[in-house]
């Protein structure tokens, strides 16, 4: 799986400039094939995501099904949410747009996207879509976008360093992982070495421990109001387990930093750490191609035997503009993009992204290099971030980064850190778009 633009790791954050700028009555798409004078669909795709070959495969499937044409316009990620907000408010809006998965609530809440709930069954075509992609697209019980592709994280380890410590196979349980890392740590006592580098601000990875323990970031009550849930017993258990893991295997210098300062892939490439949780083997091989045959991967084991920790999915969904004059064709385009055959042959076969369903993962996993298969295995279990526009605030103000760093460094107890962030979540997640 190739390294993606920063938006895979953190969703963009621009809200509509004014609430009325994006407001529109969400339109439910008509059945494909309705008459239209202009049968050319305008589609916005993002630079650096799907390759031109993969997009061409989607277009070909759409054109064969409808006889219509596609005008694809590639957009840059810089300030994209502001650009989308403006475009969705105009009469000549693009018909279909690729949107970062956790950004979908920003536009759905203002009525700028079509409600496609009634068409979910025909779009899924019997598939089980990944919750980490569809969760953020499901706002107040209604679906506003279909999944396009995903990227996620798995454990990457240096097989040579592990073998020298007496570990020759990847762990299959959490208990075994701890035992193996203890051996790696004991065999490498240098103060600047980490058995498992796990930066304190690395919330994408740390959240896996919360979810694995059965906790949640936040919950939504019957009135639609969101409440921070990190003070729950399950979340507290997961947070405590994460702190113990982080403090035990990652160096003290890692407790208040993120993955880029210092760059953890570079640390791995130079042998300063034996293990990382990352989104791509390629990020390591760019720094040290000689490691190609010395890298292993596996999904992070769960504390529950036989399972793996749920993961955060970065990636994109694909949505229909509520103001589009081609609702029927736009729906047909979503069908083409999520089509299992296209997903298998193009999204996986060409671009090596994680596909949209567990069935396609099962179908394509064996075609991947061995080091890529762990990412697909990990993606089978995912949890969505809160499907509310206010989630963008939590990402942009970096409160969640500091939350985990406060715990890792001991600046706050687990209980106090959770209480403080829950109070912030109560406000941020319920703020009007």
């Amino acid at each position: 799986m190739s390294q993606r633009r920063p938006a895979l790791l953190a969703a963009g954050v621009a809200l509509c400039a004014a609430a009325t700028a994006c407001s529109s009555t969400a339109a439910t798409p008509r059945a494909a094939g309705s008459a239209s004078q202009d049968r050319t669909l305008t589609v916005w795709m993002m630079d650096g995501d799907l390759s031109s070959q993969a997009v061409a495969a989607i277009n070909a499937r759409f054109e064969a099904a409808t006889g219509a044409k596609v005008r694809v316009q590639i957009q840059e990620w810089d300030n994209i949410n502001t650009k989308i907000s403006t475009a969705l408010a105009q009469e000549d809006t693009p018909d279909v747009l690729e949107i970062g998965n956790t950004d979908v609530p920003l536009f759905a809440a203002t009525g700028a996207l079509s409600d496609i709930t009634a068409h979910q069954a025909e779009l899924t075509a019997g598939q089980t879509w990944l919750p980490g992609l569809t969760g953020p697209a499901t706002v107040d019980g209604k679906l506003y976008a279909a999944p396009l592709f995903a990227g996620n994280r798995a454990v990457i380890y240096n097989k040579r360093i592990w073998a020298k410590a007496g570990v020759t196979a990847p762990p299959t349980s959490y208990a075994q992982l701890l035992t193996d890392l203890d051996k790696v740590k004991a065999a490498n006592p240098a103060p600047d070495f980490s058995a498992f580098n796990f930066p304190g601000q690395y919330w994408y990875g740390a959240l896996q421990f919360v979810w694995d323990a059965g906790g949640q970031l936040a919950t939504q009550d019957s009135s639609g109001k969101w409440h921070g849930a990190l003070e729950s017993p399950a979340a507290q258990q997961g947070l405590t387990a994460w702190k113990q893991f982080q403090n035990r295997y990652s160096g003290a210098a890692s407790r208040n930093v993120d993955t880029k300062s210092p760059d953890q892939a570079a640390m791995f490439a130079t042998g300063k750490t034996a293990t990382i949780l990352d989104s791509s083997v390629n990020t390591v091989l760019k720094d040290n191609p000689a490691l190609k045959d010395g890298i292993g991967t596996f999904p992070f084991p769960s504390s529950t035997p036989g399972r793996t920790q749920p993961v955060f999915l970065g990636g994109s969904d694909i949505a229909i503009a509520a103001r589009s004059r081609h609702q029927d064709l736009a729906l047909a385009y979503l069908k083409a993009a999520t089509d299992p055959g296209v997903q298998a042959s193009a999204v996986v076969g060409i671009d090596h992204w994680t596909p949209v369903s567990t069935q396609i993962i099962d179908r394509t996993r064996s075609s991947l290099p061995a080091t890529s298969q762990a990412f697909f295995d990990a993606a089978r279990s995912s949890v969505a971030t809160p499907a509310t526009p206010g989630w963008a605030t939590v990402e942009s103000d970096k409160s969640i980064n500091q939350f985990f760093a406060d715990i890792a460094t001991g600046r706050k107890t687990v209980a106090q850190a959770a209480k403080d962030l829950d109070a912030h979540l109560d406000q941020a997640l319920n703020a009007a778009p």
Side-chain angles (χ1 to χ4, degrees):
M1 183 181 304
S2 59
Q3 180 69 14
R4 193 180 180 192
R5 86 289 181 187
L8 184 151
L9 304 179
V13 201
L15 287 166
C16 296
T20 56
C22 292
S23 63
S24 171
T25 301
T28 301
R30 302 183 298 274
S34 297
S36 176
Q37 292 291 329
D38 177 11
R39 292 181 61 79
T40 299
L41 202 69
T42 299
V43 176
W44 279 16
M45 290 288 191
M46 300 309 303
D47 183 49
D49 284 357
L50 294 184
S51 66
S52 58
Q53 296 94 330
V55 174
I58 297 172
N59 294 348
R61 181 62 57 92
F62 166 78
E63 291 174 356
T66 65
K69 300 297 182 183
V70 183
R71 181 190 302 111
V72 174
Q73 298 176 344
I74 303 298
Q75 306 297 320
E76 299 294 331
W77 279 103
D78 287 347
N79 298 315
I80 185 57
N81 283 354
T82 300
K83 188 172 183 180
I84 289 176
S85 296
T86 301
L88 289 174
Q90 297 175 352
E91 292 301 324
D92 59 345
T93 180
D95 301 290
V96 174
L97 306 92
E98 176 189 345
I99 301 174
N101 60 321
T102 60
D103 288 341
V104 173
L106 293 172
F107 310 109
T110 59
L113 303 179
S114 293
D115 176 358
I116 58 173
T117 309
H119 301 277
Q120 185 168 358
E122 59 187 290
L123 286 168
T124 56
Q127 306 286 295
T128 303
W129 282 346
L130 303 180
L133 290 177
T134 57
T138 306
V139 181
D140 294 331
K142 296 180 179 180
L143 183 68
Y144 289 94
L148 184 60
F149 69 92
N152 59 281
R153 291 155 189 81
V155 178
I156 301 172
Y157 72 104
N158 186 314
K159 294 194 290 187
R160 297 164 189 166
I161 295 177
W162 279 45
K164 287 181 180 179
V167 184
T168 57
T172 57
S173 70
Y174 185 69
Q176 185 181 347
L177 172 62
L178 300 185
T179 299
D180 291 347
L181 289 175
D182 284 339
K183 292 178 181 179
V184 173
K185 182 179 179 179
N188 297 273
D192 62 344
F193 177 87
S194 292
F196 194 126
N197 186 69
F198 208 131
Q201 294 186 28
Y202 193 23
W203 66 269
Y204 308 103
L207 266 180
Q208 294 185 191
F209 284 77
V210 175
W211 292 332
D212 187 53
Q216 294 291 334
L217 269 167
T219 58
Q220 190 176 25
D221 64 26
S222 58
S223 70
K225 187 174 181 179
W226 288 90
H227 304 274
L230 293 165
E231 294 172 89
S232 72
Q236 292 283 289
Q237 178 184 336
L239 292 169
T240 299
W242 174 76
K243 179 177 181 176
Q244 292 171 345
F245 185 92
Q246 201 280 339
N247 285 187
R248 184 172 177 177
Y249 300 114
S250 195
S254 71
R255 295 174 188 173
N256 198 36
V257 300
D258 62 20
T259 58
K260 296 301 180 183
S261 56
D263 187 289
Q264 71 168 6
M267 288 179 63
F268 185 95
T270 56
K272 294 296 184 182
T273 182
T275 323
I276 57 176
L277 182 67
D278 212 296
S279 59
S280 174
V281 171
N282 292 338
T283 57
V284 173
L285 294 179
K286 287 178 182 177
D287 292 319
N288 188 355
L291 280 175
K292 182 176 181 181
D293 296 325
I295 292 177
T297 61
F298 56 88
F300 203 113
S302 168
S303 57
T304 301
R307 293 172 52 185
T308 60
Q309 286 190 346
V311 299
F312 169 87
L313 292 184
S316 286
D317 292 334
I318 189 165
I320 301 171
R323 289 178 180 252
S324 167
R325 294 188 293 271
H326 305 291
Q327 296 286 314
D328 54 346
L329 293 179
L331 178 64
Y333 196 86
L334 267 59
K335 289 181 181 178
T338 56
D339 178 85
V342 171
Q343 284 280 318
S345 64
V347 173
V348 177
I350 296 174
D351 288 356
H352 308 299
W353 287 116
T354 301
V356 301
S357 75
T358 55
Q359 288 85 356
I360 304 171
I361 287 175
D362 292 340
R363 171 180 169 185
T364 59
R365 179 187 181 278
S366 62
S367 68
L368 300 170
T371 52
S372 298
Q373 292 177 8
F375 294 92
F376 274 34
D377 293 339
R380 286 192 177 97
S381 177
S382 62
V383 178
T385 51
T388 170
W391 176 249
T393 299
V394 179
E395 288 198 18
S396 63
D397 67 16
K398 298 190 180 297
S399 54
I400 191 166
N401 305 61
Q402 290 306 310
F403 164 70
F404 283 107
D406 285 343
I407 293 174
T409 60
R411 286 193 297 258
K412 296 181 181 180
T413 65
V414 170
Q416 186 60 55
K419 181 178 180 180
D420 291 347
L421 188 60
D422 275 352
H424 181 57
L425 292 172
D426 288 351
Q427 293 183 335
L429 298 183
N430 294 299

